[in-house]
């Protein structure tokens, strides 16, 4: 079977899972955006002051050591995939994977929603350079890792009932290899966030540093 045929077969078997996970993520994004309206005035003012100080830090090129930023960014991203990988090793992890997907959507939706609501076009401009670029890749990585984990967990259930224990090792290797590949992609995104995002953010922060006062 050639690669195209394998890919077609894979998508046919897993398309429903991809749709389901995508719906969960989109629901989380919508919920996160709606959550902005539930913030009290004091909470909004505190967040605005925090953002103002952050914008000032970016504008003054005071983000700190690049290596430390790279490690922090990579650790933040890879923990999602690693937790999903661990949860995929057991049947009981299935609902927890979906919860993680929902929470990821909430974080993205809340961040973009708050910036847009409180800072208008300036906030949207900042979101377009600081939030959207990396999440264009991170979100698909989360979706792929979630579907892979769910598929492996379902395979474990079928394997247990059919008592074909010898076949698990090969599936586990492929499952783990997929996760490692996604980890490499996330490392590339972390490099982008460390060395490219600050430059892009600096383009728009001059219009936002007044929030620090």
């Amino acid at each position: 079977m050639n690669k195209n045929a394998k890919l077609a077969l894979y998508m046919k078997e897993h398309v429903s899972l991809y749709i389901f996970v995508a719906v969960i993520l989109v629901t989380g994004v919508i919920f996160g955006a709606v959550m902005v309206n539930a913030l009290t005035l004091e909470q909004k003012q505190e967040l605005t002051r925090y953002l103002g100080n952050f914008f000032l830090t970016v504008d003054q090129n005071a983000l700190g050591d690049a290596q430390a930023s790279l490690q922090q960014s990579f650790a933040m991203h890879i923990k999602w995939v690693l937790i999903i990988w661990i949860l995929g090793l057991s049947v009981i992890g299935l609902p927890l994977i979906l919860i993680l997907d929902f929470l990821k959507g909430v974080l993205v939706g809340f961040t973009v929603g708050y910036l847009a609501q409180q800072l208008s076009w300036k906030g949207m401009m900042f979101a377009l350079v600081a939030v959207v670029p990396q999440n264009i890749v991170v979100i698909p990585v989360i979706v792929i890792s979630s579907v892979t984990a769910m598929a492996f967990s379902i395979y474990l259930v079928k394997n247990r009932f059919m008592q074909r224990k010898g076949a698990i090792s090969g599936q586990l290797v492929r499952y783990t290899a997929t996760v490692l590949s996604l980890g490499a992609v996330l490392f590339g995104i972390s490099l982008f966030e460390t060395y490219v995002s600050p430059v892009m953010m600096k383009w728009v922060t001059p219009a936002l540093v007044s929030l620090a006062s």
Side-chain angles (χ1 to χ4, degrees):
M1 186 181 296
N2 59 41
K3 291 183 178 180
N4 290 334
K6 288 182 178 179
L7 180 60
L9 179 61
Y10 174 83
M11 292 305 300
K12 182 179 179 180
E13 293 177 346
H14 298 90
V15 65
S16 58
L17 289 178
Y18 276 103
I19 293 174
F20 186 55
V21 171
V23 169
I24 294 293
L25 271 165
V26 171
T27 303
V29 170
I30 296 172
F31 185 80
V34 172
M35 277 181 60
V36 177
N37 296 321
L39 293 175
T40 65
L41 179 61
E42 292 77 13
Q43 289 172 327
K44 290 180 179 179
Q45 290 174 339
E46 184 63 28
L47 282 173
T48 301
R49 281 193 294 269
Y50 172 80
L51 282 174
N53 291 329
F54 175 75
F55 296 147
L56 184 62
T57 300
V58 174
D59 192 57
Q60 295 177 347
N61 292 319
L63 285 176
D65 180 59
Q67 184 175 355
S69 298
L70 175 61
Q71 292 175 350
Q72 183 179 12
S73 175
F74 182 63
M76 179 183 67
H77 291 312
I78 197 65
K79 68 181 180 181
W80 288 91
V81 173
L82 288 178
I83 293 173
I84 289 171
W85 176 75
I86 293 172
L87 293 174
L89 297 175
S90 65
V91 179
I92 60 174
L94 276 174
L96 297 179
I97 291 172
L98 296 176
I99 291 174
L100 283 177
D101 293 337
F102 179 78
L103 289 176
K104 184 64 177 180
V106 169
L107 289 174
V108 175
F110 180 84
T111 302
V112 176
Y114 180 82
L115 288 170
Q117 185 185 92
Q118 297 301 308
L119 306 178
S120 187
W121 66 270
K122 295 179 181 179
M124 281 301 299
M125 188 166 55
F126 184 79
L128 286 174
V129 300
V131 180
V132 174
Q134 56 266 37
N135 278 293
I136 289 177
V137 178
V138 171
I139 294 299
V141 166
I142 296 295
V143 172
I144 294 171
S145 61
S146 297
V147 171
T148 305
M150 293 169 68
F152 183 75
S153 184
I154 293 170
Y155 174 82
L156 288 179
V157 175
K158 293 180 179 178
N159 186 274
R160 184 170 301 174
F161 281 114
M162 296 176 66
Q163 297 182 348
R164 291 164 46 200
K165 298 180 180 180
I168 292 180
S169 58
Q171 292 291 333
L172 178 59
V173 169
R174 284 190 285 271
Y175 173 41
T176 304
T178 300
V179 171
L180 291 176
S181 300
L182 294 174
V185 174
L186 290 177
F187 184 74
I189 288 299
S190 299
L191 287 172
F192 176 87
E193 285 186 315
T194 302
Y195 297 103
V196 181
S197 285
V199 177
M200 296 172 64
M201 288 189 290
K202 192 171 172 57
W203 296 342
V204 298
T205 49
L208 297 164
V209 292
S210 60
L211 293 173
S213 59

